[in-house]
Amino acid sequence: MPATSMEQLVSLCKRRGFIFQSADIYGGLQGVYDYGPLGVELKNNLKNAWWRAMIYERDDVEGLDASILTLRQVLKYSGHESTFSDPLCDCRKCKTRMRADHIKDGKCMNCGSTDLTEPRPFNLMFKTNVGPIDDGSNYAYLRPETAQAIFTQFKNVVDSTSRKAPFGIAQIGKSFRNEITPRNFIFRVREFEQMELEFFVKPGEDEKWHEYWKEQRIDWWVRQGLKRENIHVHTIAKEDLAHYSKATYDLEYLFPHGIEELEGIANRQDYDLGNHTKQQNELDLIAHVHENKDSTAKLALFDDEEKKWYAPFVIEPSAGVDRGVLAVMTEAYTEEPLPNGDTRIVLKLKKHLSPVKVAVIPLKRNNEQIVALARQIKDELLKTGIGRVMLEDSGNVGKAYRRHDEIGTPYCVTVDFESIEQTPATVTIRDRDTMQQERIEVSQLADYFKKQFV
């Protein structure tokens, strides 16, 4: 089991403003969480790191931001309406509802009774009415995944970018699943965010790209601070594969509650593009491929060498943002003994993920010169573009250090009396991980931190 417990993380998240239970003052909405002042920064930094790796650092991926409301037909023809469900059981004694595949020894997870109903399918998708009349006929779904919008917009992206295989379309966005039993903090929730790539390749090259993306995604998580030994690759057995999958790898991580999925990497074949194409009134993909005819509705690519259309296969790395946040916090959480017998809690996040990059601390909050210089330093550091720089005007340097250790701030800059009395002005920089301090001229701070956050 991991050294970090869920209780430690939940306590830190609430105490320091990372994550709160949604509608907490009313008792909370189960399976829904709000990201606080520091949590939203960490979450955005993780998403930015993924977006940079997928879009900016590559020349073969385009971005997309599609709507959350999803037309019913999209999820009907993708197979979600008929297959996107979990087996549901009720306990006749205590009325608890639970997933049948989570029940052990045939006993209720709440009271231990064996008087359970037979399993029945429970659709996980949220319905919502569209338009002014709620008569049950005009409805859409809150999307259960971000992938389908990528497939339905495939042709528009190809037409507007002239992409040829191999290439990808990436998206970060909210998804919704009406989980029967949300659990383990933000690991399994009803409202969550996904970081999803659909990478389109020629049939026959799919297995090679599937292996490629497995290694790419492991490497990326390691760069976010996860230890390689805590990442496990699980190959899904054929009988357990999703209806669209030819093969799937699950990247599993050692979370506080055990080893569970962090990211899935699926070979979806041409299932989605083929299904959506078949539903177009003006196009039968198979007929047009065989007849080698063009069509404005074709969800396919043209092979310039073989002079024919084909439906590309899709490799899909899909990661949960919330699970990613939980993983990097689990890995970063550290308790260190101090010489005086106390324990120091440190969140040793990678610098690019830290919610606050630099905390500027005036030694005396009632000294106008010290506070003015601290504000000036903060403003100058913000101009470097390194991220959030915070003026920690608490008046107690020791407590400020402890607070910023807990929230993962890599560096603290202390402005003291020497800073305003000496020429050139100098300040103290304290390193989060080593607690070592060094004196540096104020004029050199911008260049110093630019190098630290390259």
Side-chain angles (χ1 to χ4, degrees):
M1 292 297 291
T4 305
S5 71
M6 193 67 83
E7 290 74 19
Q8 289 170 318
L9 287 182
V10 173
S11 175
L12 175 66
C13 284
K14 185 170 184 179
R15 182 174 69 252
R16 292 303 187 190
F18 281 93
I19 302 168
F20 307 124
Q21 177 74 53
S22 180
D24 188 44
I25 62 172
Y26 290 102
L29 179 59
Q30 187 184 20
V32 183
Y33 290 88
D34 298 333
Y35 282 77
L38 295 178
V40 68
E41 296 290 341
L42 173 57
K43 189 178 187 181
N44 285 340
N45 289 342
L46 185 65
K47 292 191 292 184
N48 289 339
W50 186 89
W51 194 259
R52 179 181 180 86
M54 286 295 182
I55 307 294
Y56 300 162
E57 295 177 3
R58 301 183 64 93
D59 296 320
D60 55 359
V61 178
E62 301 287 355
L64 183 71
D65 182 12
S67 63
I68 287 171
L69 285 175
T70 305
L71 191 69
R72 183 206 168 197
Q73 287 91 324
V74 171
L75 296 173
K76 175 183 178 181
Y77 296 126
S78 69
H80 283 78
E81 270 198 337
S82 59
T83 65
F84 205 73
S85 62
D86 281 338
L88 171 66
C89 277
D90 291 318
C91 175
R92 292 190 177 95
K93 183 178 180 180
C94 70
K95 310 304 179 185
T96 296
R97 285 184 167 172
M98 65 208 88
R99 280 180 56 169
D101 54 336
H102 289 169
I103 296 173
K104 296 181 180 180
D105 302 322
K107 296 180 180 179
C108 173
M109 302 167 65
N110 182 48
C111 70
S113 171
T114 57
D115 189 11
L116 308 178
T117 63
E118 289 296 316
R120 61 190 185 279
F122 172 76
N123 195 289
L124 299 174
M125 294 192 294
F126 285 97
K127 270 185 183 180
T128 185
N129 186 68
V130 177
I133 301 175
D134 186 3
D135 60 2
S137 62
N138 297 316
Y139 65 88
Y141 291 106
L142 302 185
R143 64 185 182 195
E145 63 176 27
T146 59
Q148 293 308 315
I150 294 177
F151 297 130
T152 57
Q153 292 296 347
F154 172 81
K155 184 181 185 303
N156 284 330
V157 173
V158 170
D159 287 350
S160 60
T161 63
S162 301
R163 285 289 185 178
K164 302 290 184 181
F167 82 99
I169 303 175
Q171 180 173 203
I172 299 175
K174 290 269 191 178
S175 294
F176 303 82
R177 296 179 186 177
N178 194 13
E179 295 285 351
I180 299 170
T181 53
R183 64 189 188 278
N184 296 318
F185 195 31
I186 57 173
F187 178 81
R188 187 174 296 280
V189 289
R190 292 188 168 110
E191 177 182 337
F192 57 97
E193 273 191 279
Q194 288 180 288
M195 303 180 292
E196 204 155 52
L197 169 70
E198 307 302 329
F199 197 77
F200 303 95
V201 302
K202 287 185 176 181
E205 298 181 0
D206 51 303
E207 294 181 6
K208 174 189 72 175
W209 283 106
H210 197 200
E211 293 297 319
Y212 168 85
W213 278 109
K214 177 188 70 174
E215 297 303 321
Q216 287 290 305
R217 298 306 303 145
I218 292 172
D219 178 68
W220 185 82
W221 283 113
V222 171
R223 283 187 280 141
Q224 308 319 303
L226 305 190
K227 292 186 180 66
R228 179 62 184 85
E229 58 266 30
N230 289 337
I231 302 174
H232 305 261
V233 179
H234 174 60
T235 303
I236 303 297
K238 285 188 177 181
E239 59 269 21
D240 296 327
L241 288 171
H243 60 281
Y244 53 75
S245 178
K246 175 182 177 181
T248 297
Y249 295 120
D250 277 354
L251 301 188
E252 299 179 329
Y253 177 72
L254 184 60
F255 289 99
H257 61 279
I259 297 174
E260 288 212 57
E261 180 189 348
L262 172 65
E263 175 168 356
I265 305 166
N267 181 343
R268 296 183 75 121
Q269 309 175 84
D270 61 352
Y271 175 86
D272 301 275
L273 293 181
N275 267 18
H276 289 304
T277 299
K278 290 172 186 176
Q279 305 311 318
Q280 304 302 305
N281 293 329
E282 300 176 358
L283 175 68
D284 181 323
L285 175 64
I286 298 175
H288 278 279
V289 168
H290 286 305
E291 296 170 21
N292 198 26
K293 293 180 179 179
D294 195 359
S295 170
T296 57
K298 187 185 269 77
L299 302 186
L301 295 174
F302 189 75
D303 190 318
D304 292 324
E305 294 181 359
E306 298 188 13
K307 306 300 181 184
K308 67 177 184 179
W309 291 93
Y310 69 94
F313 275 27
V314 181
I315 307 302
E316 178 194 70
S318 177
V321 178
D322 308 87
R323 292 184 182 188
V325 169
L326 185 60
V328 298
M329 291 192 74
T330 299
E331 197 77 65
Y333 186 93
T334 309
E335 292 188 359
E336 296 179 345
L338 296 174
N340 63 2
D342 290 342
T343 300
R344 181 176 82 116
I345 297 175
V346 193
L347 203 59
K348 294 187 176 182
L349 295 165
K350 288 290 186 179
K351 295 174 185 176
H352 68 280
L353 295 180
S354 295
V356 178
K357 301 299 188 287
V358 180
V360 184
I361 308 169
L363 184 65
K364 292 290 183 180
R365 64 191 302 179
N366 56 0
N367 185 297
E368 293 183 2
Q369 287 181 282
I370 290 178
V371 172
L373 180 56
R375 290 188 180 279
Q376 177 188 328
I377 291 171
K378 177 200 168 181
D379 292 342
E380 289 300 315
L381 292 181
L382 279 175
K383 295 176 184 178
T384 64
I386 60 174
R388 186 178 181 187
V389 180
M390 182 176 182
L391 183 67
E392 182 61 57
D393 193 9
S394 62
N396 186 313
V397 175
K399 288 184 178 180
Y401 286 163
R402 294 292 288 270
R403 163 180 160 76
H404 283 280
D405 286 346
E406 279 198 337
I407 68 174
T409 305
Y411 300 101
C412 289
V413 173
T414 303
V415 182
D416 54 24
F417 287 103
E418 289 185 35
S419 305
I420 59 174
E421 292 171 353
Q422 294 181 348
T423 304
T426 61
V427 291
T428 299
I429 298 178
R430 176 186 180 270
D431 183 275
R432 175 196 68 198
D433 298 335
T434 66
M435 294 189 290
Q436 293 182 353
Q437 301 184 18
E438 62 176 307
R439 202 80 186 176
I440 189 172
E441 292 183 15
V442 171
S443 61
Q444 299 174 356
L445 281 175
D447 288 338
Y448 176 89
F449 285 120
K450 283 180 183 177
K451 294 177 182 177
Q452 301 303 319
F453 292 98
V454 171

